[in-house]
């Protein structure tokens, strides 16, 4: 744990004044921007999230804007998913890979028009890959980062709160679909999505100057709903099996290893397709698994090796105690030889050796 | 200011145990890695750096490794500098640009062999641009991030300290040249370079397991030289006019605007060459300038607009009080209309309006 200074390079967000006023307890840096990590505490935040409604500053989910006559052509190169099936109000989870099938990012694609897409990216400058590829292939497309800052509204009371600010029409938005809804004379993309399984929305706030007015409007409307500032919660998201790019997987992994094979259905010749053919047919040699770690554990500040007979059979990149389930929940990348539910594997944590047990499924 | 947690995604470095033991006061995140920002204090650290010798954990200067038959071809696309003039023991400062001439990064290229280069990058995933371009052009080249972590030895006593660990041969290394020198049975690239103007070296430590042994060896050898842990120092580097990518310039700027036109001498058709032709001939419409800011200033945690008659004529991305020169030193991007030395411009800091005065030259 150490202090961090914001700078122009490590940017504040349009919502930072609200986050600071709400008493943020810690930050991480994500896409060159501040991302809160807790407010009251990770466990207290999780308990509140599961009962009420929270406003999350996820401006760090920056948008890679792809616009122009060749936008769809570039999307088809970048996306293992069949882009022709994507409807004009849809969001697609798109595990993007390199020529060897290694994960580059796992953005959510938002289709704004046939020649206009956003990729709402995990941590990493995916725009640089898209730009290099577009230049290399001489595609007629513009790639930049627009002034769009997502704000998430998450929790079981999210529909009620959002309806008060955007109208009852929000209740009709289906999962991973969006509507364009007005706020103070501007229209925002409002999607039913977000990095929790408590339900909720992501508002793509276009224009930094609308950030705090929207933040304030949501808080003013939600006082009796016990609305609070929150952030992606490391307990809730591990219980829910939501993967964190860079923690749970990276370029060394394929989408099949990440359990994302169902998103690789494109008939097009996307980058990495040939390299993925074998795993598409025969399955991957290792894969993401939920694990319980026995005993007491500390903070997972790196990668914890999974060991069997002194040989490494995987690693864990995320682990934390779950008060709700009364166990230490973890996400690991586990070799095929040891991935069957019930398998007990030794794990080397920073506080010593523990036992990890492969689970049948995530907790939610 | 807020607390930051390391995670697998925000990595510790091979030198983190040494940095922590030395009492690091703050971190920033740079290339998904922890970078110390001060130890005793930024001003005390600067004073020590100018008198003695410091060891800096700059592992976050990650290497983009470009290797293979088409390595030089890719370098010629990426580099505005004439790569054919580069000698086999040389380091090149290479302002890398996109197709519109906008800065993508300002790495130091290290030539290891005709088919093998490292780009020691500033904050940003330049490997993604290089990879996208290589795939787009079907180049036969591998691009990855090797296990190489630079450690800098900076300050007027750097030669003496380095000679004790690597031998007197280090004294013969010329500026931006390197030698391969042995340490505990391994050979490291040791270059005369670093992000200060106090003199010194950067050791490209290949193999994380050699990190702490080398750190410890340097400290053991330098007790009587008053060696201390340090880090890139925001006072010294602004006084010296060393630019920080993301703070002082970004994709919205060309190399000419950054005062780096002299590095754009490639006869090849590098990416962005055509877009830069006009500025190569007529000069840029704005350019980096040293500035003094009058009065008291706070921490520059964003971008401070420069204003003339209510119109923006530039901005400052770095500013801090210099005890040595007794003024607030700053780096700005200033419009041609206001860049002449002596020009007084209003500046909007987070603490209120101040006056900034354009300087003839940096302080060192």
């Amino acid at each position: 744990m150490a202090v961090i200074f914001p700078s122009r390079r490590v940017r504040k967000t349009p919502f930072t004044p609200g986050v600071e006023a709400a008493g943020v307890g810690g930050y991480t840096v994500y896409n060159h921007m501040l991302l809160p990590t807790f407010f009251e505490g990770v466990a207290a935040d999780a308990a509140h999230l599961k009962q009420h409604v929270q406003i999350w500053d996820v401006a760090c989910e920056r948008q890679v804007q792809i616009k122009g006559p060749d936008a769809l052509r570039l999307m088809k190169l970048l996306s293992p998913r069949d882009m022709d099936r994507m409807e004009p109000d849809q969001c697609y989870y798109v595990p993007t890979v390199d020529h060897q099938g290694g994960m580059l990012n796992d953005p959510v694609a938002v289709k704004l028009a046939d020649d206009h897409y956003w990729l709402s990216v995990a941590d990493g400058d995916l725009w640089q890959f898209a730009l290099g590829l577009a230049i290399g292939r001489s595609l007629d497309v513009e790639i930049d980062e627009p002034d769009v800052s997502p704000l998430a509204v998450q929790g079981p009371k999210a529909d009620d709160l959002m309806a008060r600010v955007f109208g009852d029409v929000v209740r009709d938005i289906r999962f991973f679909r969006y509507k364009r809804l007005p706020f103070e004379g501007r229209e925002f993309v409002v999607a039913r999505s977000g990095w929790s399984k408590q339900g909720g929305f992501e508002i793509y706030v276009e224009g930094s100057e609308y950030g705090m007015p929207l933040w304030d409007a949501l808080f003013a409307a939600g006082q009796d709903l016990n609305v609070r500032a929150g952030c992606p919660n490391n307990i809730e998201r591990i219980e829910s099996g939501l993967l964190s790019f860079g923690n749970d997987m990276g370029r060394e992994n394929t989408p099949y290893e990440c359990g994302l094979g169902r998103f690789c259905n494109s008939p097009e010749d996307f980058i990495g397709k040939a390299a993925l053919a074998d795993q598409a047919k025969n399955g991957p040699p290792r894969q993401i698994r939920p694990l319980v770690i026995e005993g007491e554990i500390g903070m997972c500040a790196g990668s914890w090796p999974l060991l069997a007979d002194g040989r490494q059979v995987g690693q864990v990149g995320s682990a934390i105690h779950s008060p709700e389930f009364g166990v230490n929940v973890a996400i690991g990348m586990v070799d095929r030889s040891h991935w069957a539910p019930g398998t007990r594997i030794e794990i080397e944590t920073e506080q010593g050796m523990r036992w990890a047990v492969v689970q049948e499924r995530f907790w939610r």
Side-chain angles (χ1 to χ4, degrees), chain A residues 112-227:
Chain A
L112 299 166
D114 287 336
D115 63 351
H116 190 187
Y117 294 84
W118 287 339
L119 292 171
S120 190
V121 291
D123 190 29
D125 297 331
L126 185 65
W127 65 269
Q128 295 218 17
F129 181 76
L131 182 64
L133 189 60
I135 292 173
R137 291 279 172 98
S138 303
L139 299 183
D140 184 4
V141 73
E142 275 178 41
I143 294 165
D144 54 22
E145 183 187 301
D147 180 14
V148 172
S149 297
L151 185 67
V153 179
Q154 300 284 300
K157 300 179 186 168
D159 277 59
D160 290 341
L161 175 55
M162 286 290 286
R164 293 180 189 181
V165 174
F166 289 98
D168 273 324
V169 65
V170 299
R171 301 185 194 274
D172 303 330
I173 301 174
R174 287 185 289 151
F175 186 65
F176 264 51
R177 299 275 175 158
Y178 74 82
K179 289 187 191 295
R180 292 176 194 267
L181 300 177
F183 176 78
E184 292 193 358
R186 189 93 179 211
E187 240 181 22
F188 297 142
V189 167
V190 177
R192 189 178 292 273
S193 56
W195 212 52
S196 85
K197 284 203 175 169
Q198 303 307 313
F201 301 87
E202 287 175 303
I203 308 158
Y204 290 76
V205 181
E206 208 169 346
S208 291
E209 67 276 21
Y210 294 90
M212 282 310 298
L214 177 59
W215 175 280
D216 290 337
L218 287 162
F219 274 88
Q223 285 310 306
D224 61 310
L225 299 176
N226 194 9
V227 64

Side-chain angles (χ1 to χ4, degrees), chain A residues 41-59:
Chain A
V42 181
D45 291 357
H48 177 268
L49 170 64
K50 294 170 186 177
Q51 277 196 289
H52 304 288
V53 59
Q54 295 183 347
I55 314 295
W56 294 3
D57 173 1
V58 285

Side-chain angles (χ1 to χ4, degrees), chain A residues 42 46 49-50 56 106 194-198 231-249 288 300 316-320 322 329-332 362-364:
Chain A
V42 181
L49 170 64
K50 294 170 186 177
W56 294 3
D106 64 334
W195 212 52
S196 85
K197 284 203 175 169
Q198 303 307 313
C231 53
N233 185 281
N234 212 29
I235 297 174
E236 200 277 343
R237 75 100 184 160
I238 296 175
E239 292 169 349
S240 300
L242 297 172
L243 304 183
S244 168
F245 187 77
N247 283 317
D248 301 315
M249 73 289 204
I288 286 287
C300 186
V316 160
S318 304
I320 200 162
S322 160
V329 295
I331 300 178
F362 284 97
W363 292 264
R364 185 173 293 116

Side-chain angles (χ1 to χ4, degrees), chain A residues 285-361:
Chain A
R286 64 194 66 81
Q287 201 169 48
I288 286 287
R289 284 290 182 275
L291 296 154
V292 161
I293 302 176
E294 299 176 351
E296 294 222 336
I297 58 167
M299 209 168 61
C300 186
S303 179
W304 290 348
L306 292 164
L307 300 164
D309 304 322
R311 187 173 61 85
Q312 188 166 351
V313 296
Q315 84 272 337
V316 160
S318 304
I320 200 162
H321 181 72
S322 160
E324 181 180 348
F325 296 98
V327 292
N328 300 315
V329 295
I331 300 178
M333 185 68 74
V334 187
D335 285 359
R336 182 190 286 260
S337 58
H338 288 75
W339 75 24
T343 309
R344 286 169 67 83
I345 320 173
E346 276 194 291
I347 181 167
E348 190 181 344
T349 79
E350 278 145 46
Q351 292 75 34
M353 299 301 295
R354 299 286 185 274
W355 284 102
V357 185
V358 179
Q359 305 296 298
E360 179 87 36
R361 57 182 63 85

Side-chain angles (χ1 to χ4, degrees), chain A residues 18 29 77 111 226 240 256 308 334:
Chain A
V29 176
L77 289 173
K111 181 174 180 173
N226 194 9
S240 300
Y256 294 96
V334 187

